[in-house]
Amino acid sequence: MIRAFGYNEFLFLLSAVQWTLLLSVIAFIGGGIVGLFVALARTSDVKPLRLLATGYIQVFQGTPLLMQLFLVFFGATVLGIDMSPWVAAAVGLTLNTSAFLGEIWRGCIQSVPRGQWEAASSLGLRYPGLMRYVILPQAVKVAVPPTVGYLVQVIKGTSLAAIIGFVELTRAGQIVNNATFQPFLVFGIVAAIYFALCWPLSLLSQRLEARYAAPSR
Amino acid sequence: MAVASEPTRDGIAPAMSADVVIRMEGVQKWYDHFQVLKDIDLEVHRGERIVICGPSGSGKSTLIRCINQLERHQKGRITVNGVELGPHHRQLDMVRREVGMVFQSFNLFPHLTVLENCMLAPMKVRGTTRAEAKATAIRYLERVRIPEQADKYPGQLSGGQQQRVAIARSLCMNPKVMLFDEPTSALDPEMVKEVLDTMIGLAEDGMTMLCVTHEMGFAKSVAHRVIFMDRGEIVEQNTPEEFFTAPKSERTRSFLGQILAH
């Protein structure tokens, strides 16, 4: 039975937005926490740590996000873990985000002049204090615009979770389309909703970039 | 200058003292195949003021940067305040707490105010209270004559002011030795004097100082000993009087000829 696309269908799509947002937030926070350690390992003096982080980044940047989600989802089953699509999507997106944020933040950490590290170490600050009080506060300023910009990628990336059966915005679109058979209209609306989520973030990222690029206080 | 009449300047008191603060023995360092330090032997006594000069690339900055291990030496021994620098962090931490360093490019922390720059290390490294760190910071900012800039950010200060803050920041750790790595080389000429005056003030208070500098006037009036380095070696060292009036080595003479030509 084919239904017409009406108000209820639109509401169903809108209610799926919360799952897209929730998944994005989890991937962003989880990816941010793991990504910080990836960035620290990438800039570490300890060579094995550096190599490990480089390998991690290359694996996640060099394979499609969809394959990563498949591997987490089906890999868990192989290992005998019963993983819901929800958890699989959250884990997969977190890992993927951590690799990209880690690489973005590596650049930000390395953009802090060498003299800052030297001055802090010569004052007796050891690595944790040096990072926390001197390097990271300066790196954060550089990191904010590209990080907000990357959040757009995370939101769009969550659409792939539809393929492992997690009902977020894209999957909701598929469900509605299966009932109404109006693909152009349905996916047009889905795309418009994504755009409404991402565009303000892109604008914010640009504004932040302009602000931080301005001459210092 | 008051320093010139100081009794210890004839080189007897500190030089004869057994109170060695820094001892370098057979220190060698390479960058890949290029040897930057060749068999450096050096003793610095408490209260002694040494100026190190030499052409660029002669290893003078590397030498003082080895003392707090911003550069690692590969051979030889460096002992600071009785602690031998080795592969362990403990020794390095002990040494860095006692050795202050002032850089050519100031290296103030741009995201912190002048006051916070001075308070950070005492609080986080020495564990002093905020109130105590603040009192110390203000005392040293008065000492370098910029207490009124305490709440500004480094970017709002002139180069000379920034370098004086950098000196105050080091002093807040109450170091036993101060290292200066070309502290006036990045300054506009009109600001050189205010920084040198601050350094002379430190010298008058008996601070042990190692300065890499081309300010020969400063060397003449303040140093107990001038060291000339070339190609990774200490070529010559002497009191400033002897060094400037009767240099022994040909390399020293040609260097002095170049920098004192104008």
Side-chain angles (χ1 to χ4, degrees):
Chain A
M1 189 189 88
I2 295 176
R3 293 197 313 210
F5 187 88
Y7 185 61
N8 282 336
E9 283 68 24
F10 183 66
L11 277 188
F12 179 66
L13 288 182
L14 272 191
S15 72
V17 167
Q18 61 182 314
W19 299 109
T20 290
L21 286 181
L22 188 62
L23 193 55
S24 302
V25 167
I26 288 175
F28 193 66
I29 293 174
I33 293 168
V34 182
L36 178 61
F37 288 101
V38 173
L40 291 176
R42 234 351 220 111
T43 55
S44 163
D45 281 343
V46 184
K47 201 173 178 189
L49 270 183
R50 221 164 47 226
L51 290 177
L52 199 69
T54 309
Y56 181 86
I57 290 168
Q58 281 171 353
V59 165
F60 282 97
Q61 290 196 341
T63 55
L65 173 57
L66 185 56
M67 293 307 121
Q68 294 161 22
L69 292 176
F70 277 170
L71 288 174
V72 171
F73 186 51
F74 299 118
T77 316
V78 170
L79 294 174
I81 306 163
D82 186 23
M83 197 181 268
S84 71
W86 184 197
V87 176
V91 170
L93 282 164
T94 293
L95 294 177
N96 182 271
T97 305
S98 71
F100 279 88
L101 285 181
E103 184 65 0
I104 291 173
W105 292 348
R106 170 200 61 83
C108 300
I109 290 173
Q110 288 178 341
S111 76
V112 177
R114 197 73 220 161
Q116 295 288 311
W117 300 69
E118 293 184 347
S121 344
S122 74
L123 283 166
L125 282 167
R126 293 187 63 170
Y127 183 82
L130 177 150
M131 271 294 167
R132 180 165 162 208
Y133 301 112
V134 178
I135 304 302
L136 290 182
Q138 296 185 60
V140 162
K141 278 194 182 171
V142 190
V144 168
T147 303
V148 173
Y150 188 72
L151 185 50
V152 170
Q153 303 297 325
V154 176
I155 291 174
K156 291 190 292 183
T158 58
S159 66
L160 290 174
I163 298 175
I164 57 173
F166 178 68
V167 184
E168 38 64 73
L169 181 53
T170 302
R171 183 84 189 110
Q174 289 171 346
I175 292 167
V176 169
N177 178 51
N178 287 345
T180 62
F181 214 68
Q182 286 177 285
F184 189 73
L185 176 66
V186 172
F187 291 118
I189 291 171
V190 167
I193 296 175
Y194 275 114
F195 186 75
L197 294 177
C198 295
W199 191 49
L201 286 171
S202 296
L203 286 183
L204 178 64
S205 168
Q206 282 168 22
R207 275 192 46 189
L208 289 170
E209 196 174 330
R211 194 167 104 201
Y212 288 128
S216 61
R217 23 187 162 200
Chain B
M1 223 143 281
V3 180
S5 61
E6 200 180 305
T8 56
R9 256 204 97 229
D10 52 18
I12 293 170
M16 288 292 140
S17 156
D19 209 358
V20 176
V21 188
I22 299 170
R23 176 176 282 131
M24 301 177 93
E25 293 164 282
V27 172
Q28 313 211 22
K29 177 169 177 64
W30 290 262
Y31 291 131
D32 293 323
H33 295 292
F34 178 71
Q35 191 167 7
V36 265
L37 292 180
K38 298 174 188 162
D39 212 18
I40 300 289
D41 290 309
L42 178 67
E43 275 188 1
V44 182
H45 300 262
R46 194 168 304 284
E48 196 176 13
R49 303 188 287 271
I50 295 178
V51 162
I52 305 172
C53 61
S56 68
S58 59
K60 52 196 193 304
S61 282
T62 308
L63 186 148
I64 68 165
R65 287 161 63 90
C66 278
I67 294 170
N68 66 355
Q69 295 282 282
L70 289 182
E71 310 269 0
R72 303 224 161 207
H73 59 296
Q74 282 123 358
K75 265 193 179 169
R77 291 154 59 108
I78 302 178
T79 314
V80 181
N81 225 9
V83 178
E84 184 176 344
L85 287 163
H88 301 293
H89 261 287
R90 258 175 58 86
Q91 282 88 334
L92 182 56
D93 289 342
M94 286 165 77
V95 167
R96 282 183 175 166
R97 281 169 197 217
E98 308 304 333
V99 177
M101 187 169 216
V102 175
F103 300 86
Q104 181 176 351
S105 47
F106 328 136
N107 296 343
L108 293 177
F109 306 134
H111 60 298
L112 300 179
T113 64
V114 163
L115 192 62
E116 289 165 343
N117 262 278
C118 295
M119 290 164 62
L120 181 67
M123 285 169 63
K124 302 304 171 193
V125 179
R126 291 226 192 266
T128 50
T129 63
R130 171 165 283 274
E132 207 179 319
K134 189 174 177 184
T136 310
I138 290 172
R139 192 165 75 242
Y140 283 113
L141 287 172
E142 277 165 359
R143 169 100 180 262
V144 301
R145 292 194 298 281
I146 34 177
E148 71 282 2
Q149 313 283 6
D151 294 321
K152 289 194 180 168
Y153 286 91
Q156 298 169 299
L157 305 185
S158 73
Q161 289 173 325
Q162 288 192 50
Q163 193 61 298
R164 284 187 284 148
V165 172
I167 293 172
R169 178 176 71 176
S170 281
L171 292 176
C172 283
M173 284 295 282
N174 197 16
K176 306 268 190 304
V177 183
M178 285 286 285
L179 307 174
F180 293 85
D181 190 1
E182 305 208 29
T184 57
S185 300
L187 295 175
D188 291 332
E190 72 270 23
M191 292 170 187
V192 169
K193 185 176 178 299
E194 64 186 66
V195 170
L196 289 181
D197 284 346
T198 307
M199 291 168 65
I200 289 167
L202 262 187
E204 285 167 350
D205 286 357
M207 177 63 78
T208 310
M209 296 164 73
L210 265 88
C211 312
V212 171
T213 182
H214 291 131
E215 295 293 335
M216 290 303 137
F218 175 79
K220 280 179 195 165
S221 65
V222 170
H224 295 114
R225 189 158 36 132
V226 181
I227 291 177
F228 173 68
M229 286 186 71
D230 191 18
R231 291 174 223 157
E233 294 169 311
I234 294 181
V235 176
E236 184 166 348
Q237 47 182 319
N238 218 327
T239 60
E241 295 80 11
E242 293 286 319
F243 182 84
F244 289 111
T245 53
K248 283 175 254 167
S249 127
E250 180 51 42
R251 281 197 268 178
T252 314
R253 272 196 291 276
S254 102
F255 175 75
L256 287 176
Q258 274 161 5
I259 63 164
L260 300 176
H262 301 289

